[in-house]
Amino acid sequence: MSIGMRVKKEKVLLIALLSVFAYIFIHLLKSFFGIDKWTLCTLRCFVISIFVFYAILKKDLTTWILLSIMIGIEFGLDLPKIAIELRFLSKIFLRMIKTIIAPILFSTLVVGIASHSNIKQLGNMGWKSLLYFEIVTTLALFIGLIAINVSQAGVGITIPSSIDEQQLPKVESKTWQDTVLHVFPENFIKSIYHGEVLPIVVFSVLFGISMVFLSEKKRSPILLFAESLSEIMFKFTKIIMYFAPIGVGSAIAYTVGHMGLDILYNLFQLLFTLYIALLLFLMIVLFPILLWIKIPLRGFVKALTEPVSLAFATTSSESALPLLMENLEKLGVPRKIVSFVIPTGYSFNLDGTTLYLSLATVFVAQASGIPLSFSQQIFIGLTLILTSKGVAGVPRASLVILLATVTSFGLPTWPILAIIGIDELMDMARTTVNVIGNGLASCVIARSEGEFNDNKMLDYIKKNNNVN
């Protein structure tokens, strides 16, 4: 890329950012200047047009996804009826992503296990992954409990009248035995149909291990098929990603059009508590781990930007899975490790979800005027670590887990009505942290196994610096 083009892009980006700050200043003083909503709409469209020009120059998927979020917000604000009708586009995108999940998990896991024939290494990765997952999710649990006890967000809460009539989802009570039983697939095709990640992973791991004990002659055809299927699925992912900006934009448009931005002011304290707690978790837990394993922040952020953008907008970790696996491999994590750690982490390493559930459960108790000792809160939180497994692929499934937990501990369910109104906004944040946590987990395991490719990482960073 020429220096002139790079300078031109940087100038356009600078102008775009300055225009954002200028708009914010005008918006805050709109009453003083006497500016009506149509003028504000025109100014927003002008700002977006500058970003469109920058996106055309940049020619980068991440830029287009971020731009689509801005356009989606604008549609939701000024054309809410149309924005709500556009939801089918985001559903199309999610459906296409879901068609990839099962084949990409099966093929990558089978290739990762069967092609190396190293059962000992698989066992090492297994116990290291589970140990890491439980340590990190427990830290997330305590940060959530501390945050809600400090903020006291549930004390004196008032439920917005606009959500009084919303119905809570139906919940089937499950014992811990049911939770463990769910891990093991009853029927592989049934697990694919219902999008159950963990049973698919268990089946694929056992399938791959079984192949190790076959002769080379009998193993080769299946291994070749799995390798071809894996490559096809990654190409399939690239094709689907061209639709990502449309799917993401329509998802954001629906959210804003359906709820409006006023909901941000209702229960703002609860939202603020969650976002601050998640930010603290990223800063005091995940960031030091990233420094410890000696991976540059710039490269890690570049690899995670696109998957995180998808997860944030669609509120589903599942939508980010194929791109996350592909980008981590480019960063230097071997495919055999990516294909094992990421799917497993989607069920066992839900950092954001665990933090949210611990925080939200105490919020319900506070809103109900029921005091909980810290030991009771810890017991509830440890229960949540078990009951939250396997919800990563389902948008807002955390709300169902929360309702089941609240019911099982004898707490009233009416405060959850307050959470429903802002749950999608909360889901965006916790899903984002889930994806970041799983991306980091694969890097940690790769480094612990001595298989992280530093040269590949440096080439990846250097390549992206040249592109930028």
Side-chain angles (χ1 to χ4, degrees), residues 15-265:
I15 293 171
L17 293 175
L18 290 175
S19 67
V20 169
F21 291 123
Y23 171 78
I24 293 173
F25 176 76
I26 293 171
H27 182 81
L28 293 175
L29 298 177
K30 61 183 177 182
S31 299
F32 177 79
F33 291 117
I35 300 175
D36 58 30
K37 64 177 183 179
W38 298 112
T39 303
L40 289 174
C41 176
T42 303
L43 289 174
R44 288 196 299 270
C45 291
F46 174 73
V47 172
I48 290 174
S49 66
I50 299 175
F51 278 98
V52 170
F53 182 54
Y54 174 72
I56 293 173
L57 292 175
K58 182 73 172 174
K59 297 178 181 178
D60 177 67
L61 179 61
T62 304
T63 306
W64 281 105
I65 290 175
L66 296 176
L67 174 63
S68 70
I69 291 175
M70 297 175 64
I71 295 174
I73 293 172
E74 178 61 28
F75 261 87
L77 285 173
D78 296 314
L79 300 168
K81 292 183 178 179
I82 296 177
I84 291 173
E85 295 298 323
L86 290 177
R87 191 185 188 189
F88 78 98
L89 293 173
S90 64
K91 287 185 175 181
I92 290 173
F93 176 68
L94 286 175
R95 284 192 175 194
M96 290 193 297
I97 287 292
K98 286 181 179 180
T99 62
I100 300 173
I101 302 303
I104 207 169
L105 288 180
F106 175 78
S107 58
T108 53
L109 279 168
V110 168
V111 171
I113 295 170
S115 61
H116 292 82
S117 304
N118 193 336
I119 300 300
K120 183 178 179 181
Q121 185 184 35
L122 179 64
N124 286 335
M125 287 195 297
W127 75 259
K128 287 179 182 178
S129 298
L130 291 176
L131 179 62
Y132 174 83
F133 294 159
E134 295 313 311
I135 291 174
V136 175
T137 51
T138 302
L139 291 173
L141 163 72
F142 278 102
I143 289 175
L145 292 177
I146 293 170
I148 192 64
N149 279 282
V150 170
S151 73
Q152 295 289 303
V155 177
I157 191 70
T158 301
I159 302 176
S161 58
S162 60
I163 61 171
D164 278 341
E165 297 179 357
Q166 294 196 33
Q167 295 182 351
L168 294 172
K170 295 180 180 179
V171 176
E172 296 180 5
S173 59
K174 285 187 177 181
T175 63
W176 68 268
Q177 293 97 331
D178 293 328
T179 303
V180 173
L181 186 62
H182 177 73
V183 172
F184 299 93
E186 176 186 10
N187 184 304
F188 184 55
I189 303 301
K190 181 181 177 182
S191 298
I192 294 174
Y193 176 77
H194 290 289
E196 297 169 336
V197 174
L198 197 52
I200 294 173
V201 170
V202 171
F203 177 87
S204 302
V205 169
L206 292 175
F207 190 93
I209 292 174
S210 301
M211 287 179 60
V212 171
F213 297 102
L214 294 178
S215 64
E216 184 68 26
K217 181 179 179 181
K218 294 180 179 179
R219 183 174 59 191
S220 294
I222 303 297
L223 185 58
L224 181 61
F225 168 77
E227 289 175 342
S228 299
L229 180 61
S230 175
E231 293 297 328
I232 290 170
M233 286 300 104
F234 281 113
K235 296 296 182 183
F236 196 157
T237 301
K238 287 185 178 180
I239 295 173
I240 291 176
M241 284 304 114
Y242 287 117
F243 190 71
I246 297 174
V248 167
S250 60
I252 290 292
Y254 170 80
T255 300
V256 177
H258 178 63
M259 297 192 307
L261 292 181
D262 288 342
I263 195 68
L264 286 172
Y265 301 101

